[in-house]
């Protein structure tokens, strides 16, 4: 960030995350359309996968900044996000705007409500999809798998963080199905798994990401796992591992394949 502040994503209000991080200080995003950013990430992944002791790559934060936060976080940040607010909507850097104009013939600066433009949304999904695709190709050449932690369902991922993960050619996906973040019950885990699998149409397996602090007790963890598996998840992955105690481990071991 210090060497290349020009790589940082810019909001609809014209602020760079290099100088004005949204929500929290560590929220510093790179512009996905910038070829230098793409090269930087490719070199990084290449160098990691060249090591014989690295078995694969796991993506996280391969998305835009949250243009709308999960509803349970509204209280935390004291913001009511019923719509896309300009300071959380990215990337409106000059490069993105000119690439969009080149491709779609439309000038973002002349659009009254660019946040409602379907082609502008599509352009931004594609920018991230392109990066994911290039990194996946590098992994394929190394014969090493790629997985990703993504937002909980295809719809929520697009709406909150403009992430189009069903179109990535992954080896497996780990949607963060954190029911508490969305003020949902444990049962919702099953519904989210179903939605993800419909979007994937059998192209790769889905492991439901469960957030331990969202469960009231160990029986609920067990229920969550059952909802995930009954609805077709290949397994579960555990987040919030600080809560991974012996009781939870005992539940997990029941489902372990012999
Ligand atoms: Zn940009």
């Amino acid at each position: 960030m210090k060497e290349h502040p020009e790589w940082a994503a810019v909001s609809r209000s014209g602020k760079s995350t290099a100088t004005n991080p949204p929500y929290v200080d560590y929220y510093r995003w790179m512009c996905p359309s910038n070829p230098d950013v793409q090269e930087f990430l490719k070199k990084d992944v290449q160098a990691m996968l060249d090591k014989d002791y690295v078995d694969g790559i796991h993506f996280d934060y391969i998305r835009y900044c949250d243009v709308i936060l999960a509803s349970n976080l509204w209280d935390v940040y004291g913001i009511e996000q019923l719509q896309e607010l300009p300071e959380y909507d990215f990337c409106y850097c000059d490069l993105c705007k000119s690439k969009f104009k080149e491709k779609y013939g439309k000038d973002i600066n002349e659009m009254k409500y660019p946040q409602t433009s379907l082609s502008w949304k599509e352009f931004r999904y594609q920018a991230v999809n392109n990066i994911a695709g290039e990194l996946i190709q590098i992994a394929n050449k190394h014969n090493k798998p790629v997985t990703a932690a993504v937002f909980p369902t295809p719809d929520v991922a697009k709406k909150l963080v403009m992430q189009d993960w069903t179109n990535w050619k992954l080896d497996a996906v780990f949607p963060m199905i954190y029911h508490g973040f969305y003020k949902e019950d444990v049962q919702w885990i099953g519904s989210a798994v179903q939605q993800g699998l419909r979007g994937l149409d059998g192209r790769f397996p889905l492991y439901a990401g469960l957030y331990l602090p969202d469960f009231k007790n160990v029986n609920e963890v067990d229920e969550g796992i059952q909802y995930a598996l009954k609805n077709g998840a290949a397994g579960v992955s555990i987040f919030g591992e600080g809560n991974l105690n012996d009781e939870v481990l005992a539940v997990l071991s029941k489902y372990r394949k012999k």
Side-chain angles (χ1 to χ4, degrees), residues 119-136:
S119 47
W120 177 228
K121 281 230 165 83
E122 184 62 24
F123 173 88
R124 289 183 288 172
Y125 300 149
Q126 291 293 346
V128 172
N129 290 357
N130 286 342
I131 291 209
E134 298 224 17
L135 302 180
I136 290 167

Side-chain angles (χ1 to χ4, degrees), residues 42-43 54-55 57-58 68 74 81 84 96 149 152 161 169 174 176 179 198 202 207-208 234 236 256-257:
K42 278 160 73 175
K43 265 192 205 143
V54 172
D55 296 323
I57 289 285
H58 180 67
I68 292 180
W74 293 10
Q81 288 182 319
E84 293 99 336
C96 282
V161 297
K169 291 191 172 75
F174 296 76
M176 300 178 284
H179 58 287
R198 271 202 298 273
Y207 295 83
V236 299
R256 197 161 183 188
K257 281 188 185 146

Side-chain angles (χ1 to χ4, degrees), residues 8-10 31-34 91-97:
V10 174
C31 165
S33 302
N34 190 319
C91 176
Y92 288 74
C93 77
D94 291 341
L95 184 71
C96 282
K97 287 193 275 195

Side-chain angles (χ1 to χ4, degrees), residues 29-203:
W29 300 87
M30 291 195 282
C31 165
S33 302
N34 190 319
D36 294 335
V37 168
Q38 294 168 13
E39 274 318 299
F40 171 79
L41 291 173
K42 278 160 73 175
K43 265 192 205 143
D44 209 19
V45 167
Q46 177 86 38
M48 282 189 274
L49 291 176
D50 279 345
K51 300 183 199 305
D52 58 5
Y53 55 83
V54 172
D55 296 323
I57 289 285
H58 180 67
F59 291 158
D60 198 1
Y61 286 94
I62 307 289
R63 59 176 178 88
Y64 290 83
C65 167
D66 320 51
V67 62
I68 292 180
L69 285 172
S71 50
N72 206 36
L73 296 175
W74 293 10
D75 296 337
V76 177
Y77 293 99
I79 317 166
E80 288 185 350
Q81 288 182 319
L82 296 166
Q83 54 173 321
E84 293 99 336
L85 300 169
E87 58 269 48
Y88 308 113
D89 190 12
F90 293 86
C91 176
Y92 288 74
C93 77
D94 291 341
L95 184 71
C96 282
K97 287 193 275 195
S98 76
K99 283 194 169 184
F100 178 71
K101 195 172 178 185
E102 206 176 289
K103 198 168 174 192
Y104 291 91
K106 289 179 191 160
D107 190 339
I108 293 293
N109 293 332
E110 285 169 15
M111 291 163 77
K112 192 170 177 194
Y113 300 114
Q115 69 272 36
T116 64
S117 162
L118 300 181
S119 47
W120 177 228
K121 281 230 165 83
E122 184 62 24
F123 173 88
R124 289 183 288 172
Y125 300 149
Q126 291 293 346
V128 172
N129 290 357
N130 286 342
I131 291 209
E134 298 224 17
L135 302 180
I136 290 167
Q137 266 184 23
I138 295 173
N140 289 344
K141 274 188 201 138
H142 284 74
N143 232 350
K144 292 179 177 180
V146 187
T147 59
V150 296
F151 268 53
T153 71
D155 284 352
V156 174
K158 281 183 158 178
K159 187 175 175 204
L160 268 53
V161 297
M162 291 187 288
Q163 183 189 52
D164 178 29
W165 55 263
T166 60
N167 283 308
W168 302 350
K169 291 191 172 75
L170 298 166
D171 291 283
V173 72
F174 296 76
M176 300 178 284
I177 306 179
Y178 298 176
H179 58 287
F181 278 49
Y182 305 94
K183 302 189 185 226
E184 293 292 344
D185 301 330
V186 176
Q187 195 177 342
W188 178 76
I189 292 166
S191 153
V193 165
Q194 260 186 34
Q195 293 175 53
L197 290 175
R198 271 202 298 273
L200 292 177
D201 201 22
R203 279 169 291 139

